[in-house]
């Protein structure tokens, strides 16, 4: 698709008139009309505003001429998993798991490899093959080549260590000691919990990246603890295989 077709499709899909879109991104209706007719294309700053407004990458707005991959983990980037800067603009260099709201979530390549291996391994690729591929690929990506410039001097790792300490100090019965927290996008861990009233509710934001992990109960076979946390709260739940029978057992503000 060309830019003119992409813009027309996004505008109509979001139920906006040309005037309404123009007001949102501080241009004239005539400018929007010229884009959709293919007479002109938005400049770089306007493309950034359109990207934020429609929550799609500039690459998508331009007709997807490039194949984007996360420059930290190597994952192919689709619009829905692209990380965001602190100002809410999409950062087309990284995925949500590696870069969340302006913060890089991995400072240790070996830790990242272990997380990725578990997700990559399947009937066609073994864990050993996945690990070997990642060990060869990750050092060639921009984040790891420029790690010293991009890192935050260990501040985020120190924050994660503090969170791990706080969670372990809760001494939840049956939950083993937590060693590490990984980046987890809300969409994949936003469990629906039954409430005493009989209704079910979710407590996370699908588009937010949290820190968390899954631990197997030390005293009940087939029971797992799910740990989710960020700067504001710690949440711990239990569930059985395939996230059946979930129960929220702790929500603590920090």
């Amino acid at each position: 698709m060309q830019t003119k077709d992409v813009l027309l499709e996004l505008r109509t899909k979001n139920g906006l008139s040309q005037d309404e879109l123009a007001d949102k991104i501080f241009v004239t209706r005539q400018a929007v009309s010229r884009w959709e007719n293919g007479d002109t294309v938005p400049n770089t700053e306007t493309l950034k505003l359109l990207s934020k407004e429609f929550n799609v990458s500039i690459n998508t707005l331009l007709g997807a001429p490039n194949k984007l991959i996360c420059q930290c983990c190597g994952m192919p980037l689709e619009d829905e998993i692209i990380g965001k800067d602190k100002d809410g603009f999409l950062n087309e260099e990284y995925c949500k798991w590696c870069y969340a709201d302006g913060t890089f979530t991995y400072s240790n390549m070996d830790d990242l490899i272990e997380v990725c291996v578990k997700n990559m391994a399947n009937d066609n690729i073994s864990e050993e093959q996945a690990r070997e591929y990642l060990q060869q690929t990750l050092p060639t990506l921009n984040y790891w080549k420029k790690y010293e410039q991009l890192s935050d001097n260990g501040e985020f790792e120190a924050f994660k260590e503090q969170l791990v300490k706080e969670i372990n100090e809760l001494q939840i019965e049956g939950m083993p000691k937590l060693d590490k927290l990984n980046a987890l996008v809300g969409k994949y861990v936003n469990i629906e919990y039954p409430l005493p009233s009989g209704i079910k509710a979710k407590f996370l934001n699908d588009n937010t990246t949290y820190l968390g992990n899954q631990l197997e109960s030390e005293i009940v076979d087939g029971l797992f603890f799910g740990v989710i946390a960020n700067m504001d709260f710690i949440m711990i739940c239990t569930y059985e295989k395939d996230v059946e029978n979930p129960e929220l057992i702790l929500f603590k503000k920090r």
Side-chain angles (χ1 to χ4, degrees):
M1 293 177 70
Q2 297 182 33
T3 299
K4 65 185 184 70
D5 302 313
V6 174
L7 290 174
L8 175 60
E9 180 179 287
L10 288 170
R11 179 177 63 77
T12 54
K13 180 180 178 181
N14 284 270
L16 297 173
S17 66
Q18 289 185 341
D19 282 313
E20 289 170 331
L21 177 57
D23 287 342
K24 287 178 176 290
I25 57 172
F26 314 111
V27 299
T28 65
R29 184 199 63 77
Q30 288 78 7
V32 175
S33 178
R34 287 195 294 271
W35 300 337
E36 293 183 355
N37 288 330
D39 298 329
T40 61
V41 295
N43 61 32
T44 301
E45 290 305 311
T46 305
L47 283 170
K48 287 180 65 177
L49 294 174
L50 287 164
S51 170
K52 188 174 184 180
E53 175 64 31
F54 292 128
N55 200 34
V56 300
S57 64
I58 291 176
N59 188 55
T60 291
L61 293 173
L62 295 177
N66 301 312
K67 291 184 178 180
L68 305 178
I69 67 167
C70 175
Q71 292 300 311
C72 180
C73 70
M75 177 185 295
L77 290 179
E78 302 294 338
D79 287 342
E80 60 269 20
I81 65 167
I82 293 177
K84 290 185 178 181
D85 295 324
K86 288 182 179 179
D87 57 12
F89 287 99
L90 294 177
N91 186 313
E92 299 180 28
E93 291 272 303
Y94 305 103
C95 71
K96 288 182 177 181
W97 287 273
C98 295
Y99 184 76
D101 300 322
T103 300
F104 291 101
T105 57
Y106 287 99
S107 61
N108 185 297
M109 189 184 297
D110 291 334
D111 285 347
L112 175 58
I113 287 174
E114 290 309 307
V115 171
C116 292
V117 161
K118 295 174 183 176
N119 291 307
M120 290 177 64
N122 55 40
D123 293 338
N124 299 316
I125 181 171
S126 67
E127 288 195 6
E128 291 75 18
Q129 290 172 319
R131 185 173 289 105
E132 182 179 355
Y133 168 79
L134 290 165
Q135 288 171 340
Q136 293 176 353
T137 302
L138 265 55
T140 69
L141 300 176
N142 289 342
Y143 176 71
W144 298 107
K145 288 196 292 185
K146 300 188 292 185
Y147 173 70
E148 292 300 325
Q149 298 134 295
L150 293 172
S151 68
D152 60 0
N153 296 316
E155 291 182 13
F156 188 65
E157 285 303 307
F159 166 66
K160 288 201 291 185
E161 289 177 9
Q162 176 60 32
L163 262 182
V164 168
K165 179 182 177 183
E166 289 180 27
I167 293 167
N168 285 328
E169 287 176 347
L170 294 171
Q171 297 185 335
I172 304 296
E173 184 179 5
M175 190 174 90
K177 181 180 178 181
L178 178 68
D179 293 323
K180 67 174 64 174
L181 291 166
N182 302 314
L184 302 170
V185 177
K187 175 181 177 181
Y188 300 97
V189 292
N190 200 1
I191 298 173
E192 195 172 53
Y193 300 98
L195 301 180
S197 62
I199 64 172
K200 295 182 177 180
K202 294 182 178 182
F203 299 99
L204 303 178
N205 186 321
D206 284 352
N207 297 314
T208 297
T209 301
Y210 301 93
L211 292 170
N213 210 332
Q214 175 179 277
L215 304 169
E216 191 167 355
S217 173
E218 294 180 320
I219 57 178
V220 180
D221 289 340
L223 186 70
F224 299 91
F225 288 90
V227 178
I228 298 292
N230 65 9
M231 294 184 68
D232 302 316
F233 70 86
I234 294 170
M235 187 169 81
I236 298 176
C237 67
T238 59
Y239 47 81
E240 298 171 4
K241 184 179 179 181
D242 298 326
V243 199
E244 292 183 355
N245 300 317
E247 181 180 355
L248 182 62
I249 62 173
L250 181 143
F251 186 92
K252 178 179 182 293
K253 289 187 176 181
R254 298 184 69 245

